[in-house]
Amino acid sequence: PLTGKRVVVTAGPTREAIDPVRFISNHSSGKMGVAVAAAAWRRGADVELIAGPLLVEPPVGPRVTHVETTAEMADAVRRALGAADALVMAAAPADFTPAHVATSKIKKGATAPTLTLDFTVDILVSTRSARRPGSVIVGFALETNDVLAHARAKLDDKELDLIVVNDATEPGAGFGVDTNRVTLLDR
Ligand code: CTP
């Protein structure tokens, strides 16, 4: 059913360097994005998976573009969107990045360091203009409270066609598990 369609999927976390040996990230495993990419490929789509550091094996079939930071993932998504019929943004990009990256390892001194953080770029928002007219844009929302209200706001703010809502506090849902329970909200 997806023969002739180009599908772009993102997966996994991204990493933002603090110094050459440390980073800020999150608990994303990449399972969801890898599963979606494999499913689209099995249905005949030409699939590009844009992946941060995965805790699972990448899928066989889709082309895999490896990225590290949120800015790198944004660049890869922007490049891929021009030819994409669908984007499934299953990745969990890091939302914060250290304002200054130390060029050498931060040593344990007399006082613990204080990190000043900046926002990273919002990939779905910042790549809106690269979307092909008529393409289908699917986002995810990971929430712990006021789940549907927050998801509806993301559907609007990020100009999505569909949002997949996860409640991270539900047993069997959230990070790194083999099961999930979601609500789909469409535009
Ligand atoms: N997303 C994105 N760029 C980011 C962060 C998230 O494009 N820098 C995408 C995610 O891939 C997901 C959707 O936006 O498809 C919602 O991600 P989520 O983490 O639930 O929301 P945030 O936008 O990060 O907002 P908040 O952390 O405040 O809930």
Side-chain angles (χ1 to χ4, degrees):
L2 293 181
T3 300
K5 301 288 185 195
R6 293 183 78 146
V7 176
V8 178
V9 183
T10 65
T14 59
R15 289 178 177 172
E16 302 295 327
I18 297 170
D19 69 13
V21 301
R22 304 183 178 95
F23 55 82
I24 293 175
S25 190
N26 59 64
H27 287 296
S28 172
S29 63
K31 269 187 189 191
M32 175 65 76
V34 166
V36 170
W41 184 78
R42 283 197 302 269
R43 282 161 180 74
D46 174 356
V47 180
E48 177 177 358
L49 178 70
I50 300 171
L54 300 174
L55 295 181
V56 295
E57 287 297 308
V60 173
R63 272 170 294 124
V64 184
T65 301
H66 293 282
V67 298
E68 171 114 359
T69 66
T70 296
E72 286 169 14
M73 186 173 278
D75 286 344
V77 167
R78 190 175 298 107
R79 272 198 300 276
L81 270 180
D85 295 294
L87 168 68
V88 182
M89 191 71 204
D95 287 322
F96 309 111
T97 190
H100 305 286
V101 183
T103 51
S104 51
K105 186 184 173 198
I106 300 170
K107 301 299 286 180
K108 283 180 287 187
T111 55
T114 301
L115 285 180
T116 304
L117 302 178
D118 289 334
F119 289 112
T120 56
V121 66
D122 186 297
I123 298 173
L124 282 169
V125 171
S126 67
T127 59
R128 269 183 306 201
S129 63
R131 295 175 187 175
R132 266 177 61 174
S135 58
V136 176
I137 308 297
V138 183
F140 281 70
L142 184 63
E143 308 291 349
T144 57
N145 60 293
D146 298 326
V147 172
L148 291 184
H150 280 136
R152 253 183 221 111
K154 285 177 188 171
L155 185 70
D156 287 341
D157 295 346
K158 300 180 191 239
E159 293 181 33
L160 307 175
D161 297 294
L162 191 68
I163 192 156
V164 184
V165 192
N166 301 270
D167 183 338
T169 63
E170 251 191 69
F175 289 116
V177 291
D178 285 328
T179 56
N180 203 358
R181 241 163 70 107
V182 302
T183 305
L184 304 181
L185 300 180
D186 68 13
R187 193 189 270 274

